[in-house]
Amino acid sequence: MTDAGPLIGPDGLARCPWGLSTEDYVAYHDEEWGRPVHGDDALFERLCLEAFQSGLSWITILRRREGFRRAFADFGIAAVAAFGDADRERLLLDAGIIRNRAKIDATLANAKLLADWEPGELDALIWSYAPDPATRPAPRTLADVPAVTDESTALSKALKKRGVRFVGPTTAYALMQACGLVDDHLEDCAARGGGAAPGH
């Protein structure tokens, strides 16, 4: 599968192979993945979900995303920063999320840390590591899509230096892909460059 190029879906559009692997992925692939995401709370949500995804498949997280949003107050940084011991215990018992103690603790700690940052500071820091699109040729197959880059390694180091937890270079790169810092849709994918599937 790693050397697979785009696949043609039932609607006749070419998509990245993973975007057709389950029904849940189609809308996510067409409408969200690779589109620019800005705003501290929105980026905090993606940072948290990518951390929870570590060691799991993204579909596991995507199918629980609404559960995560309910559990973590829609990932408002100030709201999560105010969570106390009772909230932590509630999260550890919440079947709507991934009940991983280390990841829950990292999410709570990161919220408390980020609540002290200036508005827009997280957004500016993350986006400062977006590479120049001209330096990145469009991937033709999945084999051309990296798991880690120099930029994601640098972003991971910068976040860790500021005290952010659970954000290694691979997690940082997944964040960059999901939030549009890079466009890793395959060259002939209909969603590349912000294109959307008709009807979505």
Side-chain angles (χ1 to χ4, degrees):
M1 182 64 115
T2 56
D3 60 352
L7 297 178
I8 306 298
D11 55 8
L13 289 177
R15 290 181 177 84
C16 302
W18 66 266
L20 287 168
S21 60
T22 76
E23 195 172 320
D24 300 271
Y25 268 154
V26 177
Y28 178 70
H29 168 275
D30 290 357
E31 300 166 16
E32 289 190 59
W33 193 77
R35 304 294 182 89
V37 173
H38 284 284
D40 293 340
D41 287 348
L43 288 166
F44 174 62
E45 174 181 354
R46 304 310 197 284
L47 191 65
C48 294
L49 293 180
E50 294 295 350
F52 272 99
Q53 186 269 330
S54 180
L56 302 169
S57 112
W58 175 247
I59 196 68
T60 302
I61 303 302
L62 189 61
R63 288 174 174 161
R64 287 174 170 78
R65 184 161 60 170
E66 291 309 315
F68 274 105
R69 286 173 171 168
R70 284 191 296 273
F72 286 100
D74 283 328
F75 290 99
I77 293 172
V80 180
F83 280 15
D85 290 342
D87 294 292
R88 180 174 179 273
E89 292 308 310
R90 167 181 62 80
L91 292 166
L92 288 168
L93 296 172
D94 191 336
I97 66 170
I98 304 299
R99 291 171 287 181
N100 178 296
R101 188 180 301 272
K103 293 175 181 179
I104 288 171
D105 287 348
T107 300
L108 301 183
N110 286 343
K112 286 178 168 55
L113 175 81
L114 295 170
D116 289 333
W117 289 23
E118 293 297 320
E121 192 172 351
L122 177 62
D123 188 308
L125 175 63
I126 289 174
W127 276 90
S128 72
Y129 288 90
D132 179 353
T135 66
R136 291 179 55 86
R140 295 184 61 83
T141 72
L142 295 181
D144 298 328
V145 179
V148 175
T149 63
D150 291 345
E151 291 88 359
S152 78
T153 300
L155 173 58
S156 170
K157 285 181 180 175
L159 287 167
K160 285 180 176 178
K161 187 175 180 182
R162 299 286 300 273
V164 179
R165 292 162 54 180
F166 241 105
V167 58
T170 304
T171 296
Y173 192 63
L175 175 78
M176 293 172 74
Q177 291 174 304
C179 296
L181 280 75
V182 295
D183 184 353
D184 274 346
H185 284 286
L186 301 185
E187 185 174 44
D188 295 324
C189 174
R192 184 166 177 83
H200 281 283

